[in-house]
Amino acid sequence: MAYIGLAKPTIATYTDGKVYTDGFRCGKAIDTSITPQFAEGSLFGDNMKAEYDKEFKHADITLNTTELPVTAHEKMFGHKTSEESEIQFNANDESKYVGYGFYVTEKVNGIRKYVATWLKKCKFTEGADNYKTKGDTIEYQTPGLSGQALAEDDGTWKIVKIFNTEKEAQDWLDTKAGIKPVEEP
């Protein structure tokens, strides 16, 4: 398999892991990574390894997008926002649990499929603010987020589904995030 594209970073307010609300697109995807972390243990007996165990702890997440919408500041980080696009940062603001999804284009034997991923319970942290003056060339500065995905009580932390079309993958993400389809006139 070869992944050749990443699209539609989708965030939604976490309620109980089954229903999500207030879903939105978190800009346009630049890159994301998901790195599972495991607790490991070995038992030695008679001068050799007798048992070995490895269990999921959490997954580290990074997300880099073209923009961080104003709504993300409220729904992900607990900042106060206004209709005039003002964002108020407070030392007592707390990040909130969210669901996070996206899809990638996969190409196998010349056939494209769309692999959608939904991380059920995540908490993100805002990255550093980096700014540069404009020089001889245009250099974009984009927001980067980091966080962790946790397992639900039943152990589920990630859902992956493969689709034949981009629309199917996007519709699945929208359904997961509680985004209502736009009705055309």
Side-chain angles (χ1 to χ4, degrees):
M1 81 183 103
Y3 297 120
I4 57 172
L6 168 67
K8 307 299 183 200
T10 305
I11 302 287
T13 301
Y14 173 87
T15 53
D16 62 5
K18 296 180 181 104
V19 176
Y20 296 85
T21 61
D22 302 325
F24 64 95
R25 297 280 184 257
C26 194
K28 294 181 180 181
I30 295 174
D31 61 51
T32 194
S33 69
I34 302 161
T35 308
Q37 302 295 320
F38 298 92
E40 298 181 69
S42 296
L43 173 67
F44 288 84
D46 289 342
N47 300 319
M48 59 194 283
K49 191 180 283 192
E51 295 286 337
Y52 172 73
D53 204 4
K54 190 173 194 173
E55 295 179 358
F56 177 82
K57 292 190 311 184
H58 65 271
D60 291 326
I61 307 166
T62 61
L63 171 60
N64 191 10
T65 63
T66 58
E67 67 174 303
L68 192 58
V70 171
T71 192
H73 290 279
E74 180 183 338
K75 293 178 180 162
M76 294 175 76
F77 307 114
H79 304 316
K80 288 186 177 143
T81 61
S82 73
E83 290 184 23
E84 294 81 33
S85 297
E86 182 177 277
I87 304 161
Q88 195 175 100
F89 294 74
N90 186 294
N92 297 316
D93 293 344
E94 289 190 32
S95 292
K96 300 174 183 180
Y97 285 114
V98 296
Y100 165 52
F102 57 89
Y103 68 84
V104 295
T105 305
E106 177 185 55
K107 195 168 186 179
V108 178
N109 296 324
I111 299 170
R112 289 179 189 252
K113 298 279 184 177
Y114 301 88
V115 181
T117 299
W118 187 256
L119 303 176
K120 296 189 72 169
K121 185 178 182 181
C122 308
K123 191 175 272 195
F124 285 92
T125 303
E126 297 161 292
D129 291 331
N130 296 309
Y131 309 103
K132 275 188 178 176
T133 189
K134 187 168 67 169
D136 290 336
T137 61
I138 297 172
E139 190 175 329
Y140 290 98
Q141 304 297 311
T142 58
L145 306 175
S146 62
Q148 290 187 346
L150 307 177
E152 293 282 275
D153 290 341
D154 68 0
T156 306
W157 66 277
K158 178 170 87 168
I159 300 169
V160 175
K161 190 163 181 180
I162 301 168
F163 298 94
N164 291 320
T165 68
E166 275 187 274
K167 182 171 179 357
E168 290 172 319
Q170 186 170 331
D171 288 350
W172 184 78
L173 287 176
D174 289 350
T175 299
K176 288 283 185 201
I179 298 173
K180 305 273 190 257
V182 177
E183 301 208 10
E184 296 183 28

